[in-house]
Amino acid sequence: MSDLQSSSAAARPVRNVVDYELLFDCVHCGLCLEACPTYILTRREMDSPRGRIYLIKALAEGRVDLDRDVVRHLDLCLGCRGCETACPSGVHYGRLIEGARAYVEANHPRSLYDRAQRWVISAIFPYPERLRRLLWPVQLLENVGARALVERALPGKLGAWLSLLPPLNSAQDNHPAAPWPTAKPRADGPPVIVHRGCVAQVLTNAENRNTERLLEAAGYKVIPMARTHCCGALDLHLGNVEQSSRLIRANVRELKQSGAEAIVSAGSGCSAAMAEYGTLLANDPELKSDAQSVSSKVSDLSRLLLESGLSFPKFPCTVTYHDACHLRHGLGVRDEPRKLLSSIPGLRLVEMQESDLCCGSAGSYNLTESAMAADLARRKAENIIATGADYVVLSNPGCELQITAELRRRGAGTKVIHLADFLALAMRG
Ligand code: SF4
Ligand code: SF4
């Protein structure tokens, strides 16, 4: 999809929905195959990036119909963009699959069950107040000590969905939000906005608060956002072009007024989505230049803290780092978090195998494709446990929930923690 002007994918040929010219960048070399989680697990060409590009091109040229098999191969893609990093030809796979998804959603009749779960994700998750209300019964169960029992008793995917949630009772919240002694925020520091996300505001808001505190400790001036809208990524990845377009436009309008020089999110999926706003609104006469300006300001906590030279007290422990897909493959951030962690006196950083292979979280993928997501979570957990680390540090709340649930299932002692929370712990010594 070249931009969000293509708001109605129904009744339009796929050739006009997917950015057809981009398909020709692929030279079918296959160098991306071993970077693709679904290919690694299935060994099926049609579940590889090259196979999916072939399918999308065949669709665009009218050589295959949009049948259930084609939809299945496209649905199974995590949208992790590991193939983009591996591709020597610079194929923009993320844009291709998002376009294909918009076409699928507009033209393929889904089962009632599929439609229901997609509706829940799209109508509730991007809106923190709705999500809070939905979670209220879970909190009640937790307060009376019955949550684990209900998790085990629920049929189908429901129990698995519930097990992904962190403890909702704040007394059990293991995210350190307590402040540490720090310099007073500088009123004249470079202005930065922390985009608080949607689900993250409800489930992992301490990460937002710690991100802000760390930036203030590093000399930045944190500007509050008047109103935070979901970044639009959840809907974009589900192919809901119209709702994602609405949310993206609302964010661009909000962010352009802020005067921020940098935009940061504790959710790397949100950061990567905002970095694409310029491309997504490229043909919007009203918001095109504002969207490009927003995208150019997107940064990452690790980058800003490294640039500031922030130092940490001694914090002896062993840490391994998991690369969240959209941070690594969308924003190209790989070394910065590692350098930051290595700068902490007493900390030992050990690399895990396949640190940049998707954990299966992938936005709402672990809800819609739970079997593949569970296989990937198991593989990730094994690689983490093999390091013997005390902590696995990561930069995305979705990965945190997914990996925590799997390690908890195994009774593993490795603590899963967001980079912002970990650095806050380190600051407190
Ligand atoms: S986005 Fe991820 S799952 Fe999809 S084809 Fe690329 S590497 Fe494979
Ligand atoms: S996407 Fe890139 S790496 Fe994969 S087959 Fe095409 S050109 Fe080769």
Side-chain angles (χ1 to χ4, degrees):
M1 181 175 53
S2 56
D3 61 76
L4 288 172
Q5 295 301 299
S6 354
S7 56
S8 176
R12 281 155 41 86
V14 65
R15 198 169 170 140
N16 294 345
V17 178
V18 174
D19 207 332
Y20 182 67
E21 298 304 319
L22 290 182
L23 289 161
F24 290 89
D25 291 341
C26 177
V27 295
H28 315 296
C29 64
L31 290 172
C32 53
L33 266 59
E34 294 301 333
C36 173
T38 56
Y39 178 77
I40 290 173
L41 292 195
T42 65
R43 294 286 156 193
R44 288 192 299 254
E45 174 72 15
M46 287 305 153
D47 290 324
S48 79
R50 183 173 63 183
R52 292 187 179 110
I53 289 169
Y54 177 84
L55 277 181
I56 297 169
K57 193 156 179 280
L59 268 177
E61 292 167 355
R63 289 184 282 112
V64 296
D65 294 328
L66 189 65
D67 61 20
R68 284 174 63 165
D69 281 349
V70 171
V71 172
R72 194 72 209 108
H73 293 304
L74 297 177
D75 277 356
L76 209 58
C77 171
L78 293 135
C80 67
R81 296 170 66 183
C83 46
E84 285 190 25
T85 301
C87 175
S89 302
V91 170
H92 294 287
Y93 179 85
R95 283 161 66 187
L96 290 171
I97 191 71
E98 276 163 13
R101 286 196 162 140
Y103 183 75
V104 168
E105 287 322 298
N107 295 283
H108 176 71
R110 289 198 180 271
S111 69
L112 190 62
Y113 180 78
D114 273 5
R115 274 185 282 144
Q117 67 176 358
R118 280 159 192 268
W119 180 85
V120 169
I121 294 166
S122 192
I124 295 178
F125 289 10
Y127 306 98
E129 278 317 308
R130 294 183 197 172
L131 183 58
R132 277 193 192 97
R133 282 199 290 275
L134 182 80
L135 293 178
W136 185 79
V138 182
Q139 194 154 10
L140 194 69
L141 285 175
E142 204 170 286
N143 288 341
V144 298
R147 181 173 150 186
L149 197 72
V150 174
E151 257 174 43
R152 283 195 295 274
L154 278 175
K157 284 184 184 175
L158 284 174
W161 279 34
L162 200 55
S163 71
L164 288 171
L165 292 172
L168 300 177
N169 183 338
S170 57
Q172 295 175 43
D173 191 345
N174 61 6
H175 297 281
W180 62 87
T182 181
K184 238 178 125 187
R186 276 177 49 189
D188 61 344
V192 179
I193 269 200
V194 176
H195 186 284
R196 290 184 160 229
C198 51
V199 177
Q201 270 187 57
V202 180
L203 298 182
T204 55
N205 201 33
E207 293 164 9
N208 290 325
R209 295 203 298 276
N210 281 328
T211 299
E212 290 169 353
R213 284 195 189 111
L214 286 158
L215 289 168
E216 283 173 348
Y220 293 92
K221 177 185 169 192
V222 175
I223 318 174
M225 256 181 109
R227 184 154 178 231
T228 305
H229 305 270
C230 164
C231 68
L234 274 173
D235 280 294
L236 199 59
H237 299 158
L238 286 174
N240 297 335
V241 177
E242 286 173 25
Q243 174 151 302
S244 66
S245 167
R246 254 197 319 279
L247 292 167
I248 288 169
R249 287 186 165 87
N251 266 306
V252 169
R253 289 195 181 97
E254 203 71 57
L255 289 165
K256 82 169 179 185
Q257 293 166 357
S258 68
E261 286 174 19
I263 300 164
V264 168
S265 168
S268 53
C270 309
S271 306
M274 290 188 284
E276 295 283 322
Y277 282 2
T279 308
L280 292 165
L281 298 186
N283 292 331
D284 183 316
E286 183 205 341
L287 291 176
K288 175 183 164 178
S289 64
D290 291 330
Q292 281 164 355
S293 161
V294 166
S295 291
S296 69
K297 290 174 182 168
V298 174
S299 189
D300 180 61
L301 175 70
S302 61
R303 265 189 189 153
L304 296 186
L305 294 186
L306 259 190
E307 280 167 17
S308 77
L310 183 70
S311 60
F312 297 86
K314 196 170 174 184
F315 191 55
C317 59
T318 307
V319 167
T320 190
Y321 183 77
H322 159 73
D323 290 278
C325 297
H326 283 217
L327 189 65
R328 171 74 186 96
H329 308 302
L331 296 179
V333 174
R334 184 194 178 278
D335 295 338
E336 295 88 332
R338 290 174 167 83
K339 281 186 188 159
L340 202 55
L341 290 167
S342 301
S343 75
I344 298 174
L347 184 147
R348 193 167 72 93
L349 182 65
V350 283
E351 283 295 331
M352 71 172 91
Q353 291 288 312
E354 301 178 338
S355 65
D356 64 353
L357 195 78
C358 183
C359 64
S361 166
S364 56
Y365 186 94
N366 51 356
L367 306 181
T368 55
E369 296 292 341
S370 44
M372 177 62 78
D375 285 347
L376 288 167
R378 282 193 280 275
R379 192 171 175 118
K380 181 61 67 178
E382 278 157 21
N383 284 327
I384 290 167
I385 291 166
T387 64
D390 306 313
Y391 294 93
V392 53
V393 177
L394 35 74
S395 301
N396 188 47
C399 310
E400 183 186 348
L401 301 183
Q402 170 85 344
I403 296 172
T404 300
E406 182 57 30
L407 289 177
R408 194 172 50 224
R409 232 170 264 135
R410 292 164 179 254
T414 321
K415 198 164 163 54
V416 186
I417 188 164
H418 190 280
L419 180 70
D421 287 346
F422 182 80
L423 295 178
L425 258 187
M427 282 302 248
R428 293 192 300 173

